[in-house]
Amino acid sequence: MEKILNYINGKLVEPLSRKFLDNYNPAEGKVYNLIPDSDKEDVDEAVKAATQAFPAWSILSIEGRMRILMRVADLIDRDLDKLSQAESIDNGKTVKLARSLDIPRASANIRFYATSAMHFATDAHVNEGDSVNYTTRMPIGVVGCISPWNLPLYLFTWKIAPALASGCTVVAKPSELTPMTAFLFSQLCIEAGLPPGVLNIVHGLGAKAGQAIVEQPQVTAISFTGGTVTGKKIAATTAPMLKKLSLELGGKNPNIIFADCDFEQTIKGSIRSSFTNQGEICLCGSRILVERNLFDKFITEFVKRTKELKVGDPQNESTDLGALVSETHLNKVLSYVKLATEEGGKILTGGNQIKLDGRLSSGYYVEPTVIVGLDEKCRTNQEEIFGPIVTIMPFDSEEEAIRLANSTGYGLSATIWTENLKRAHRVSHQVKSGIIWVNCWLHRDLRTPFGGMKQSGVGREGGWEALRFFTEAKNVCVKL
């Protein structure tokens, strides 16, 4: 059985303990390769390599770093089909989604930051006849990047690209549930000629390998995407160490639909935002709020189109929803269906595990599920499920829609559907979410800041924000 390997100091190596973990194909529910069960010793080796590589990488010209990173992006484009297949097998997502979204975005992340670093300007302030102050931005050092399982290579590169472009060296840990494309990426880095130690990838469990990165004293900053509970633990660990911290955490995002919306556009967009990637995207609109005079019409059409979605083999181009990432996550998602009924909810469609035939008979499949009849305070509407489950609630006024939208502890994203431009602006300003989409969903511009409010995170990624995070500002004052 194939063994995934760590990438440390430019080489692919086994964990020092020689211990490995099973890695499952979610579509089949079977082990298909092994990943390193890395621990503190492996992390220390990676940090040592990154520390040794930092001086040369940090003073390499921006153009020099850009050329290497662009070669990596070219290799991702070359291996689009191979990486898409690997992402689908490892995660359970459809191969068509990986090919159209995940892998192209990984390449785009690297190209964007490789070139953005060329245009990252600093300030100068002239006190006439007295002095000149100018600000430089220096790479912060060795940084830790910990990425989640839902968009594996997409979010892995979203973190390491700005770090490397800024001149930092990196110790990264992909999720132990979806390590394959990070492993393939390490091979591409070797092929592209990335200097040894500049990027180090340590595979393993979050509680062991991830926590070791967070605790390592030579790691100056942590960029983490994942659950809010884990984010709180990272914050508690790093606070006394005064490490720089960026946390992109959970979401329970409202999808606000006013009666004056473009109905067809809204239905299509809401199906997408509810069930893309099996609902395993932190930005999915899992709480649908519909103005009451549109409520019955919306439910009828939304349920009809939900029933038309095909759950099946992720390798099949006609499949809409693939498998959930793990058996543990499958059981969590199904437990919320049970909870919703206990809380008084009515399931309009879905709610069941799906058993497919043949090689897929042990896979982790769930019907897309629509629930009504719940209030905003119940656990189903307060806790992140991260699966193909949405609730739908009516509202009677703009004020009530805003109150319902803001009724959870999360504040990552929100979507607003209306043809009233003034209302769109008004509601956008009052909804407490870091990202607002109006008449669209997941429409991303890499130049814009990305992150959440409240329990959805600390700091911002994207655009100049990411380059600022991985650098330190230094002011130099010259007396004339």
Side-chain angles (χ1 to χ4, degrees), residues 53-61 65 139 166-169:
F54 177 73
W57 182 252
S58 64
I59 64 171
L60 181 65
S61 68
R65 295 197 294 263
S166 298
C168 295
T169 54

Side-chain angles (χ1 to χ4, degrees), residues 356-368:
L356 301 178
D357 297 327
R359 67 178 181 83
L360 307 176
S361 60
S362 298
Y364 314 132
Y365 301 92
V366 172
E367 294 173 330

Side-chain angles (χ1 to χ4, degrees), residues 24-29 88-92 323-326 362-365:
Y24 284 79
N25 175 343
E28 299 181 2
S88 175
I89 292 169
D90 210 34
N91 173 269
L324 298 186
V325 72
S326 70
S362 298
Y364 314 132
Y365 301 92

Side-chain angles (χ1 to χ4, degrees), residues 262-473:
D262 179 319
F263 187 75
E264 180 61 23
Q265 181 188 33
T266 301
I267 285 287
K268 287 181 178 179
S270 297
I271 289 287
R272 236 186 109 231
S273 70
S274 298
F275 303 121
T276 295
N277 203 46
Q278 300 74 245
E280 295 171 325
I281 299 179
C282 56
L283 302 164
C284 279
S286 56
R287 294 183 299 133
I288 303 177
L289 313 176
V290 185
E291 193 164 5
R292 193 174 297 275
N293 56 355
L294 187 66
F295 189 73
D296 290 341
K297 179 182 177 182
F298 178 87
I299 284 182
T300 299
E301 188 62 26
F302 187 83
V303 169
K304 173 179 173 289
R305 298 201 192 186
T306 299
K307 290 179 177 179
E308 293 170 353
L309 295 173
K310 180 181 177 181
V311 180
D313 187 349
Q315 299 294 305
N316 192 322
E317 293 290 334
S318 66
T319 296
D320 297 305
L321 281 76
L324 298 186
V325 72
S326 70
E327 185 176 20
T328 299
H329 190 58
L330 168 75
N331 292 332
K332 174 194 170 183
V333 170
L334 291 174
S335 75
Y336 274 96
V337 177
K338 182 174 183 291
L339 174 65
T341 59
E342 292 171 352
E343 292 179 324
K346 179 182 179 182
I347 299 173
L348 299 183
T349 187
N352 301 303
Q353 182 178 356
I354 296 177
K355 290 289 187 179
L356 301 178
D357 297 327
R359 67 178 181 83
L360 307 176
S361 60
S362 298
Y364 314 132
Y365 301 92
V366 172
E367 294 173 330
T369 303
V370 181
I371 303 170
V372 296
L374 295 170
D375 65 41
E376 74 273 18
K377 296 179 181 179
C378 70
R379 284 180 56 198
T380 305
N381 273 324
Q382 289 291 319
E383 299 175 9
E384 185 177 43
I385 300 172
F386 218 64
I389 297 176
V390 294
T391 63
I392 308 179
M393 292 182 287
F395 65 85
D396 292 300
S397 66
E398 185 177 304
E399 293 73 22
E400 185 182 12
I402 293 166
R403 180 183 64 78
L404 292 173
N406 292 334
S407 64
T408 76
Y410 294 102
L412 185 55
S413 73
T415 304
I416 301 166
W417 301 91
T418 179
E419 293 296 287
N420 184 323
L421 182 60
K422 289 184 178 180
R423 171 184 281 153
H425 284 294
R426 195 165 57 236
V427 176
S428 294
H429 281 279
Q430 294 182 71
V431 171
K432 295 176 182 178
S433 296
I435 306 144
I436 307 289
W437 283 293
V438 177
N439 296 332
C440 61
W441 176 75
L442 206 59
H443 194 79
R444 292 287 294 123
D445 184 327
L446 297 187
R447 297 170 295 182
T448 61
F450 180 94
M453 300 178 179
K454 300 188 285 185
Q455 300 294 306
S456 288
V458 174
R460 290 293 181 271
E461 297 180 326
W464 303 130
E465 299 293 332
L467 295 177
R468 291 190 185 101
F469 176 77
F470 290 112
T471 57
E472 296 265 38

Side-chain angles (χ1 to χ4, degrees), residues 40-146:
K40 180 180 183 299
E41 284 69 31
D42 299 289
V43 169
D44 287 345
E45 286 296 307
V47 171
K48 179 181 177 182
T51 301
Q52 291 173 343
F54 177 73
W57 182 252
S58 64
I59 64 171
L60 181 65
S61 68
I62 298 173
E63 293 89 345
R65 295 197 294 263
M66 180 192 73
R67 284 193 293 269
I68 295 172
L69 292 174
M70 293 295 273
R71 286 202 295 270
V72 176
D74 288 341
L75 293 174
I76 292 175
D77 292 341
R78 182 197 70 185
D79 289 355
L80 171 64
D81 288 336
K82 177 182 178 180
L83 291 165
S84 299
Q85 287 286 340
E87 201 76 291
S88 175
I89 292 169
D90 210 34
N91 173 269
K93 68 173 73 233
T94 62
V95 71
K96 68 180 179 183
L97 181 66
R99 189 187 301 118
S100 63
L101 175 67
D102 292 67
I103 308 307
R105 173 60 187 274
S107 171
N109 287 339
I110 294 173
R111 294 186 189 282
F112 177 82
Y113 284 109
T115 53
S116 292
M118 298 282 294
H119 308 287
F120 192 32
T122 57
D123 299 321
H125 303 277
V126 178
N127 188 351
E128 293 183 8
D130 177 71
S131 60
V132 174
N133 284 271
Y134 64 91
T135 302
T136 62
R137 298 204 70 94
M138 312 297 293
I140 197 170
V142 178
V143 300
C145 296
I146 303 174

